[in-house]
């Protein structure tokens, strides 16, 4: 989300597509890739229908990121989320495929999500524990201080900008053991110009009206932004490194 695809209106690129291009370049174009993710879905869908479809493709590497939307729910059971995630990892590893997991980012400076920082920290610890137990790779977004800069996030303050996705893709490539310019993707941006209290309050109010209120309304109706969305790349296809 928020990493717009210039060639396809209303479609997005994202860190996973960017990672696939990096891996394809390393493989001299000899790589096929599918992207089964759907925005707004809960972990049950990720480890259920999405994982079923992924394993049916016979992959060598599966990246699986889920649980973030679940954590936002007031009654989120972090132990259950970890149990679902670990069971999915066990299932993937049983096929011989490698697994790439990701922690959430640290919401320390987020206007609303900072109150859920403890949940995000527990989920991060669970992800690392699962990875250690089952030999998985991990994208450590929690430790990316650069992502604490709101200039790397879109107006909705939930999805990264193209620059944020670019950096996470390189973090993922590094997590998989490949050489990257770590300073390029991990170094925070230069300090921003200070924002006055009045401007900050006005920006927060605009965000709440434009993004938070519709999200709350969808939750109350039991709806998701991804209810009518399907996977953009359901089958393995070659990836142009360029």
């Amino acid at each position: 989300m928020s990493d717009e695809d210039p060639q396809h209106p209303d479609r997005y690129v994202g860190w996973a597509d960017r990672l696939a291009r990096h891996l394809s370049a390393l493989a001299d174009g000899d790589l096929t890739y599918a992207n089964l993710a759907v925005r707004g879905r809960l972990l049950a869908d990720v480890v259920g229908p999405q994982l079923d479809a992924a394993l049916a493709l016979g992959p060598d590497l599966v990246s699986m990121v889920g649980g973030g939307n679940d954590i936002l729910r007031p009654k989120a059971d972090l132990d259950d989320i970890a149990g679902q995630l670990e069971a999915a990892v066990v299932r993937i590893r049983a096929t011989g495929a490698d697994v790439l997991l990701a922690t959430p980012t640290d919401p320390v400076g987020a206007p609303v999500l900072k109150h859920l920082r403890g949940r995000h920290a527990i989920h991060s610890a669970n992800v690392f524990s699962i990875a250690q137990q089952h030999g998985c790779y991990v994208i450590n977004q929690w430790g990316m201080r650069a992502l604490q800069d709101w200039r790397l996030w879109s107006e909705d303050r939930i999805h990264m900008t193209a620059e944020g996705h670019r950096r996470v893709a390189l973090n993922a490539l590094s997590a998989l053991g490949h050489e990257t310019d770590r300073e390029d993707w991990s170094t925070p941006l230069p300090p921003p110009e200070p924002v006055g209290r009045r401007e900050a309050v006005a920006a927060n109010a605009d965000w709440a009206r434009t993004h938070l209120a519709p999200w709350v309304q969808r939750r109350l109706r039991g709806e998701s932004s991804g209810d009518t969305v399907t996977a953009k790349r359901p089958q393995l296809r070659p990836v142009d490194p360029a």
Side-chain angles (χ1 to χ4, degrees), residues 17-197:
D17 285 15
R18 293 172 179 271
L19 173 61
R21 290 176 187 167
H22 287 304
L23 293 175
S24 183
L26 291 170
D28 294 325
D30 185 20
L31 178 140
T32 57
Y33 161 70
N35 189 323
L36 303 169
V38 179
R39 72 189 73 161
R41 298 294 174 87
L42 298 177
L43 183 60
D45 187 73
V46 176
V47 303
Q50 289 185 31
L51 182 56
D52 291 343
L55 294 182
L57 299 175
D60 299 300
L61 171 67
V62 177
S63 70
M64 182 169 58
V65 182
N69 290 324
D70 301 72
I71 292 173
L72 298 177
R73 268 67 178 173
K75 297 181 180 180
D77 185 334
L78 295 175
D79 291 333
D80 180 65
I81 290 171
Q84 291 185 63
L85 189 61
E86 183 169 23
V89 167
V90 169
R91 186 180 170 197
I92 298 169
R93 295 294 282 147
T95 70
D98 287 318
V99 180
L100 175 65
L101 303 175
T103 72
T105 58
D106 185 351
V108 60
V112 175
L113 294 182
K114 64 182 178 182
H115 300 294
L116 302 178
R117 192 185 188 201
R119 292 188 189 181
H120 284 74
I122 292 172
H123 185 58
S124 295
N126 287 338
V127 167
F128 277 117
S129 297
I130 292 168
Q132 184 183 51
Q133 182 70 24
H134 301 285
C136 305
Y137 302 100
V138 179
I139 310 171
N140 182 9
Q141 295 186 107
W142 181 270
M144 283 186 71
R145 288 183 56 246
L147 290 182
Q148 296 176 16
D149 189 322
W150 286 108
R151 290 172 293 176
L152 293 183
W153 295 84
S154 67
E155 292 181 356
D156 67 9
R157 302 182 181 179
I158 296 176
H159 301 103
M160 293 177 289
T161 61
E163 174 62 10
H165 281 284
R166 185 191 73 82
R167 288 173 177 245
V168 170
L170 289 170
N171 188 348
L173 188 65
S174 177
L176 290 173
H178 298 288
E179 190 69 28
T180 65
D181 182 353
R182 188 177 184 86
E183 289 191 4
D184 174 45
W185 58 263
S186 67
T187 303
L189 296 172
E193 293 293 329
V195 177
R197 178 176 176 79

